[in-house]
Amino acid sequence: MNSNHLLLEEPIRMASILEPSKPSFFPAMTKIVGTLGPKSRSVEIISDCLKAGMSVARFDFSWGDIEFHQETLENLKTAVKSTRKLCAIMLDTGGPELQVVNKTEHPISLEADTKVILTPDQDKPATSNLLPINYHGLSKAVKKGDTIFIGQYLFTGNETTSVWLEVDEVCSEDVVCLIKNSATLSGTLYTLHVSQIRIDMPTLTDKDKEVISIWGVQNNIDILSLSYTRHAEDIRHARSFLSKLGELNQTQIFAKIENIEGLTHFDEILQEADGIIFSRGNLGIDLPPEKVFLFQKAAVYKCNMMGKPAVVTRVVDSMTDNLRPTRAEATDVANAVLDGSDAILLGAETLRGLYPVETVSTVGKICAEAEKVFNQDLYFKKTVKNVGEPMSHLESIASSAVRAAIKVKASAIICFTSSGRAARLIAKYRPTMPVISVVIPRLKTNQLRWTFSGAFEARQSLIVRGLFPMLADPRHPAESKSGSNESVLKVALDHGKASGVIKPHDRVVVCQKLGDASVVKILELED
């Protein structure tokens, strides 16, 4: 993969660094995915996270039962109603994740330079010398000298709650390991990761299918995060499964890349997936640390050029226990934005972290500052060049709308869309102003009943950088034909004004279809 550089706008005025950040209805153009869990499942905390900038709620099914997550989701629905902030639902599968099972729940201390046995016999209690695991094939997959990492929410390399093991010998189904660092494992479940070894388990497990069929169908999930995606076939298999589950045929599938195998097949996976999640926690173990940034930059660039959302994880780990991120973490968030990421995914930081609301708020502020110096001009030229000529009709309209908006210094782009594709194409060119995506519902039937589409399309754009959706009233015309007519355009403009994005005398670029023609026009607003 070629790494493509995005340079800062020059010169950055040093004085601007001292200017206070301006409050805004949209905390940042870059979206924030928050994982809801024990520390972030009350209506009050979820409401505060939504106000702070969270636009996608992630439900991680590698732990917790259906009842627990359903209760959390009901609280999310209440919070969405009270805050009037849209939020998409992401179901994150457990996938072929290896886990150590500690039924006693007592902390386990492991001493460096001693040995521990990993056994598939889950009836045995977990001790300092024996750790039961949920996989019978480990002894066949590893050999002497291989590296294994174990930790709650995985090894980060700088903590005493994770352990690094080296395989010493294989005895039947048991694996004897040498402990490389002293650590204390606490909790009921720890993740186990074998570096650069293929685990022969299906990507979409039977447990995942059960969760999707029950919880996913019941709640019309917007996005499926497919853990441990290793091949394009994994995406095709998941899509085939979803297509048989009623409304879930509209659910988008994001491939979670977390090992060498997924990295090797990245290009074909990107073709099939609706978006990519870079799981840097696992990738940072499978890849040498000095290579992780290279993959991130090259892969995010490929996502950008294809107009598919790129989501980056593991950015502010230290905020799990602290009120402020480290300087390196703050810089890491900014660099993810400058690389072109659509969204930042918060895992343990909001799931079990002490400061979920402050974490969302802090990350949003860092994103907003980075967006101010994002080199949009260079990015635009590269994207146009990558598309090549002749451009498709839609691509030409989208790029023209962004170019016009930047030339006239428009405060917003309003795009009318039914599938959401036109709005996503505009967002692909990374305009410096928000894109208000007005989703026009379509009437459809399954021969038994009539329903309006549009809710899925609106919520799914909540993970795309710069896109801010609103669902139009199907009874309103696109534009006013008389003074008394409440048009969708007027409603969109009023929404922009209420949110502080559009002000009197501003210019706004409108992109819509009139009959068979697509039109880009510039509105100059009055008082």
Side-chain angles (χ1 to χ4, degrees):
M1 292 181 187
N2 295 321
S3 181
N4 288 271
H5 310 293
L6 289 178
L7 303 173
L8 296 179
E9 292 283 11
E10 292 289 352
I12 299 172
R13 290 186 307 112
M14 293 302 284
S16 71
I17 296 167
L18 302 176
E19 289 171 6
S21 303
K22 295 181 178 67
S24 163
F25 178 81
F26 306 125
M29 306 273 267
T30 307
K31 302 303 176 65
I32 298 174
V33 181
T35 305
L36 301 187
K39 298 288 187 189
S40 53
R41 63 193 301 255
S42 69
V43 174
E44 183 186 3
I45 295 287
I46 296 173
S47 298
D48 288 344
C49 284
L50 290 170
K51 289 177 199 165
M54 180 181 84
S55 62
V56 180
R58 172 177 171 256
F59 293 82
D60 183 1
F61 274 87
S62 60
W63 69 276
D65 56 26
I66 284 176
E67 289 73 26
F68 178 91
H69 288 300
Q70 188 60 43
E71 203 175 293
T72 307
L73 182 55
E74 294 307 322
N75 289 346
L76 170 65
K77 289 176 184 173
T78 305
V80 165
K81 278 180 187 163
S82 66
T83 59
R84 297 180 64 79
K85 301 267 188 189
L86 268 181
C87 189
I89 299 168
M90 175 187 283
L91 189 162
D92 200 317
T93 63
E97 184 168 87
L98 306 190
Q99 293 176 331
V100 175
V101 183
N102 177 17
K103 290 179 180 173
T104 66
E105 297 191 29
H106 297 309
I108 298 166
S109 294
L110 300 167
E111 288 295 321
D113 299 322
T114 62
K115 291 185 181 176
V116 65
I117 297 170
L118 304 180
T119 178
D121 186 351
Q122 293 183 47
D123 293 329
K124 290 181 178 174
T127 67
S128 299
N129 312 110
L130 187 85
L131 297 175
I133 61 171
N134 66 344
Y135 180 50
H136 281 268
L138 186 65
S139 59
K140 296 186 183 74
V142 298
K143 63 184 183 306
K144 184 178 172 66
D146 282 347
T147 303
I148 295 175
F149 296 96
I150 295 174
Q152 191 183 32
Y153 305 100
L154 245 199
F155 192 88
T156 65
N158 66 349
E159 55 187 22
T160 55
T161 58
S162 302
V163 70
W164 169 21
L165 308 174
E166 186 180 289
V167 176
D168 188 58
E169 61 177 315
V170 176
C171 301
S172 184
E173 286 197 318
D174 293 348
V175 178
V176 182
C177 299
L178 179 68
I179 301 168
K180 304 290 279 187
N181 68 298
S182 296
T184 301
L185 303 177
S186 59
T188 53
L189 281 177
Y190 328 117
T191 305
L192 182 149
H193 186 93
V194 190
S195 185
Q196 301 199 17
I197 296 292
R198 175 176 170 80
I199 299 303
D200 192 20
M201 289 165 70
T203 303
L204 198 63
T205 65
D206 289 342
K207 186 193 169 194
D208 293 331
K209 289 179 177 178
E210 182 187 355
V211 165
I212 295 165
S213 302
I214 299 169
W215 193 87
V217 169
Q218 184 180 335
N219 298 297
N220 277 350
I221 55 164
D222 302 299
I223 298 165
L224 180 75
S225 164
L226 191 63
S227 296
Y228 296 94
T229 302
R230 294 167 285 188
H231 297 270
E233 186 53 43
D234 294 340
I235 303 286
R236 288 191 285 268
H237 175 67
R239 209 179 292 286
S240 168
F241 178 70
L242 290 177
S243 69
K244 302 181 182 101
L245 298 173
E247 294 284 298
L248 295 198
N249 62 355
Q250 299 176 73
T251 298
Q252 290 190 340
I253 300 173
F254 277 46
K256 208 166 162 198
I257 306 296
E258 31 198 335
N259 55 27
I260 291 277
E261 209 171 346
L263 185 156
T264 308
H265 302 106
F266 181 78
D267 288 353
E268 63 191 62
I269 289 170
L270 181 58
Q271 290 287 341
E272 289 291 333
D274 296 302
I276 299 286
I277 297 172
F278 302 98
S279 182
R280 301 192 310 172
N282 286 354
L283 264 176
I285 291 170
D286 242 26
L287 277 175
E290 67 273 17
K291 297 287 188 184
V292 177
F293 87 96
L294 269 177
F295 174 64
Q296 177 179 318
K297 287 180 182 293
V300 168
Y301 176 80
K302 290 194 170 197
C303 289
N304 290 165
M305 293 303 108
M306 284 195 71
K308 292 188 176 183
V311 184
V312 172
T313 70
R314 296 300 286 261
V315 287
V316 285
D317 281 343
S318 72
M319 286 196 80
T320 305
D321 303 306
N322 300 295
L323 203 45
R324 286 166 68 94
T326 66
R327 287 83 174 151
E329 287 172 337
T331 304
D332 190 26
V333 174
N335 278 326
V337 173
L338 297 174
D339 286 345
S341 302
D342 286 79
I344 302 291
L345 189 152
L346 302 171
E349 302 99 322
T350 54
L351 173 86
R352 62 184 173 98
L354 303 179
Y355 308 102
V357 180
E358 291 83 354
T359 303
V360 173
S361 174
T362 301
V363 168
K365 286 174 187 169
I366 299 168
C367 290
E369 288 298 321
E371 287 157 12
K372 290 179 189 173
V373 293
F374 180 75
N375 192 336
Q376 200 282 334
D377 186 50
L378 178 62
Y379 180 94
F380 186 91
K381 286 173 183 168
K382 281 187 174 179
T383 312
V384 169
K385 186 179 177 184
N386 181 267
V387 170
E389 292 179 355
M391 272 188 174
S392 71
H393 180 74
L394 255 182
E395 198 94 42
S396 172
I397 293 292
S399 57
S400 300
V402 174
R403 191 189 295 273
I406 287 167
K407 293 287 184 194
V408 303
K409 292 187 163 50
S411 56
I413 299 172
I414 294 175
C415 174
F416 292 91
T417 180
S418 52
S419 67
R421 187 164 165 238
R424 284 197 302 274
L425 265 182
I426 290 174
K428 171 183 168 180
Y429 288 90
R430 293 284 186 262
T432 51
M433 64 291 295
V435 180
I436 299 174
S437 165
V438 184
V439 181
I440 310 293
R442 286 185 296 195
L443 196 60
K444 57 178 189 174
T445 180
N446 62 358
Q447 262 67 59
L448 295 173
R449 64 191 182 105
W450 288 90
T451 53
F452 278 111
S453 71
F456 269 100
E457 290 81 358
R459 290 192 303 265
Q460 284 164 348
S461 62
L462 288 164
I463 203 166
V464 181
R465 180 153 149 187
L467 267 195
F468 299 92
M470 56 173 283
L471 198 55
D473 187 329
R475 295 168 300 182
H476 290 169
E479 290 194 42
S480 183
K481 297 287 186 286
S482 67
S484 61
N485 214 348
E486 175 94 286
S487 70
V488 174
L489 179 57
K490 181 181 182 305
V491 172
L493 290 169
D494 288 346
H495 174 67
K497 288 171 188 170
S499 59
V501 172
I502 301 171
K503 299 176 201 65
H505 305 293
D506 275 358
R507 289 171 178 169
V508 174
V509 168
V510 180
C511 186
Q512 67 184 123
K513 279 198 89 164
L514 293 176
D516 293 333
S518 297
V519 177
V520 174
K521 59 185 177 183
I522 300 160
L523 297 183
E524 196 140 353
L525 305 181
E526 296 170 358
D527 289 338

